[in-house]
Amino acid sequence: VIVETVVQGSPAAAAGVRQGDLIQSLDDKRVRQGRELLQLLAKCEAGDKVKLGLQRDRQYKEVSVVLMKRSELFKER
């Protein structure tokens, strides 16, 4: 799953996820399509810490992300 955008101030941004990264796994579960990633995330709750397996510049990298509610992400700051 290719990361198209990363919202500034988001947990993904704080974890170092960048535009263009390729998400390959969530908590060691392989994902090949955006739908699979969304299904796995739907089972999680705000505050959960997940591990993303990413490919960037042909190198594999793992980052930890603490999830938050989507509505909180887009609240006025």
Side-chain angles (χ1 to χ4, degrees), residues 26-27 29-31 34-50 65 67-69:
L26 177 78
D27 287 339
K29 295 179 180 104
R30 181 104 170 125
V31 292
R35 181 181 68 225
E36 292 173 328
L37 179 60
L38 291 175
Q39 288 172 342
L40 290 172
L41 286 170
K43 297 175 184 176
C44 301
E45 295 185 19
D48 287 352
K49 187 176 187 178
V50 298
V65 179
L67 300 178
M68 67 186 299
K69 288 185 179 184

Side-chain angles (χ1 to χ4, degrees), residues 20-72:
D21 284 350
L22 178 63
I23 299 174
Q24 296 182 323
S25 65
L26 177 78
D27 287 339
D28 298 319
K29 295 179 180 104
R30 181 104 170 125
V31 292
R32 292 186 177 97
Q33 298 178 353
R35 181 181 68 225
E36 292 173 328
L37 179 60
L38 291 175
Q39 288 172 342
L40 290 172
L41 286 170
K43 297 175 184 176
C44 301
E45 295 185 19
D48 287 352
K49 187 176 187 178
V50 298
K51 180 174 63 172
L52 290 178
L54 306 172
Q55 183 179 348
R56 178 186 302 154
D57 300 325
R58 297 184 185 179
Q59 293 184 340
Y60 185 77
K61 174 179 184 152
E62 290 184 347
V63 297
S64 293
V65 179
V66 178
L67 300 178
M68 67 186 299
K69 288 185 179 184
R70 188 178 179 102
S71 60
E72 294 293 315

